[in-house]
Amino acid sequence: MLTINRNILAALAYFDMFDYPLTYGEIYLFLGEKHCQAQFSEAINYLVAGKMIYQFDKFYSLKNDYLIIIRRNCGNQKAAEMIAKAKEVGQFLIKFPYVRGIGISGSLSKNFADERSDIDLFIITAKNRLWVARTLMHCFKKFTFLVNKQHNYCMNYYIDEQQLQIAEKNIYTAIETDTLIPLEGDVVFEKFYAANSWTRTFLPNKPLRLASAKPLQTYVLKKLVEFLLNNQLGDLLDDTFLKITSKRWVKKTVQKKLNLRGIVMGMSAGKHFAKPDPVNFQNRLIERYKNKLNYLLQQTEERVAQ
């Protein structure tokens, strides 16, 4: 089988795990290697003609099922509404002390949402003040539960300017990194993408969304709080909040407490990062993807050989 055919099937296989068909342009963006447009078009047509993939309107899928096209269209409409709300949330959260950048992550960053979707946010903070910023933001989030707005403030993933590079380097983190929608903090996101240029190895055709991020503005209260904590007291508070939060999350994981989606809660925490770790979700997803792709390629090669 030609490499271009394998790459097309690989792109579709990844998103097929989420029942998410792709457009012609999206498949090209998520190819694992660079190919010319003519070769890409020829390969797409070949795979459709051989019924190795299916085309419905502008979408392509591994499944011969129009219902997933309906699902995607509905999800795209819902996402447009939630992205508009996320922009308002970002404008508010950027005012918190030491917050330098805010972006949309999760399924919403792939332009999909349903009735169960949250607004997942990716936060970049100032160096060595991640835990001060996170604690203040999550204290605020406690109040959102009182008005049932907590789903708009899912501040799941934090990194600081000291450690902008994502530690795990695989197809999952490459897609999550390159599909982020920056909302606030154009300068820090430029640095973030520069630090994560390794994603080009997995997604050489995927452009970044720098233009969507707004420049930072000056807020008097934010500036005042940072002035008061740019000292040893701030260092002490940051270290203390890290220790308290890490201990609390370890306890939640040991007790197998579940989140709203019924998954055992977990968090990976360090001085320069705080990220969800729901029972090795990332490793299990990558293993599932590899198995799915291997099976798909084997089936396709057998059909081609007949």
Side-chain angles (χ1 to χ4, degrees):
M1 188 189 303
L2 294 176
T3 301
I4 179 62
N5 294 345
R6 290 175 180 269
N7 285 331
I8 291 171
L9 292 171
L12 287 169
Y14 185 89
F15 287 92
D16 186 70
M17 294 191 297
F18 309 98
D19 287 328
Y20 196 73
L22 300 177
T23 65
Y24 175 96
E26 288 167 344
I27 296 172
Y28 185 78
L29 292 180
F30 291 105
L31 292 178
E33 298 177 73
K34 281 188 171 292
H35 298 280
C36 69
Q37 285 287 346
Q39 185 186 27
F40 175 63
S41 295
E42 183 179 351
I44 282 275
N45 293 334
Y46 168 77
L47 292 171
V48 171
K51 294 185 178 181
M52 288 169 268
I53 65 175
Y54 300 92
Q55 180 179 7
F56 300 96
D57 303 326
K58 63 179 181 178
F59 298 109
Y60 296 84
S61 173
L62 296 179
K63 295 185 178 77
N64 187 17
D65 183 1
Y66 192 75
L67 289 178
I68 62 173
I69 309 302
I70 297 174
R71 177 179 179 273
R72 163 150 184 181
N73 285 328
C74 292
N76 290 164
Q77 293 177 5
K78 178 68 174 177
E81 300 170 8
M82 292 188 68
I83 288 174
K85 179 61 181 178
K87 292 179 180 179
E88 296 178 9
V89 171
Q91 289 175 356
F92 173 71
L93 293 179
I94 197 66
K95 298 176 182 179
F96 276 72
Y98 297 112
V99 178
R100 299 293 182 260
I102 297 177
I104 301 172
S105 60
S107 62
L108 192 57
S109 69
K110 285 91 177 159
N111 197 34
F112 182 84
D114 58 24
E115 296 305 319
R116 298 176 58 201
S117 294
D118 302 323
I119 295 179
D120 294 319
L121 297 170
F122 179 84
I123 315 291
I124 302 176
T125 73
K127 174 183 175 181
N128 295 327
R129 288 295 183 270
L130 185 153
W131 292 97
V132 171
R134 185 185 184 280
T135 301
L136 291 173
M137 296 173 85
H138 279 258
C139 284
F140 160 76
K141 184 175 178 177
K142 299 294 184 183
F143 292 102
T144 67
F145 284 88
L146 299 176
V147 290
N148 197 31
K149 296 294 183 181
Q150 67 273 17
H151 301 294
N152 293 339
Y153 298 89
C154 292
M155 299 163 285
N156 294 328
Y157 204 124
Y158 286 78
I159 60 174
D160 76 1
E161 292 178 305
Q162 173 71 20
Q163 190 173 308
L164 291 173
Q165 187 178 93
I166 302 299
E168 306 87 353
K169 298 176 177 60
N170 53 55
I171 184 61
Y172 171 77
T173 53
I175 289 177
E176 292 302 304
T177 298
D178 284 7
T179 56
L180 282 173
I181 303 177
L183 298 176
E184 304 283 342
D186 55 348
V187 173
V188 78
F189 269 105
E190 285 184 13
K191 295 177 181 178
F192 169 76
Y193 285 125
N196 290 283
S197 59
W198 59 267
T199 61
R200 303 297 91 206
T201 303
F202 294 92
L203 303 171
N205 302 315
K206 185 74 175 68
L208 307 178
R209 296 170 168 176
L210 285 173
S212 60
K214 295 180 181 179
L216 284 181
Q217 298 183 30
T218 300
Y219 300 100
V220 176
L221 182 58
K222 176 177 182 175
K223 190 174 181 179
L224 175 61
V225 173
E226 292 183 6
F227 173 76
L228 294 175
L229 294 180
N230 284 338
N231 47 43
Q232 290 183 341
L233 173 61
D235 294 336
L236 177 62
L237 285 175
D238 201 76
D239 291 338
T240 301
F241 290 146
L242 167 57
K243 291 177 183 177
I244 293 173
T245 307
S246 295
K247 184 177 180 180
R248 184 165 57 88
W249 274 94
V250 168
K251 184 177 180 181
K252 285 183 179 182
T253 304
V254 170
Q255 293 176 345
K256 295 185 177 180
K257 289 192 174 182
L258 305 180
N259 62 18
L260 295 176
R261 296 177 180 175
I263 300 173
V264 176
M265 301 174 73
M267 185 178 76
S268 179
K271 180 63 175 175
H272 307 292
F273 66 89
K275 55 191 175 184
D277 185 24
V279 195
N280 295 316
F281 165 80
Q282 187 179 134
N283 292 334
R284 289 188 288 109
L285 184 140
I286 292 173
E287 186 64 25
R288 179 185 164 201
Y289 169 60
K290 288 179 178 178
N291 292 335
K292 181 182 183 69
L293 182 57
N294 288 335
Y295 178 74
L296 175 63
L297 292 176
Q298 182 180 350
Q299 275 195 323
T300 306
E301 288 176 350
E302 289 175 356
R303 292 183 62 181
V304 171
Q306 290 177 354

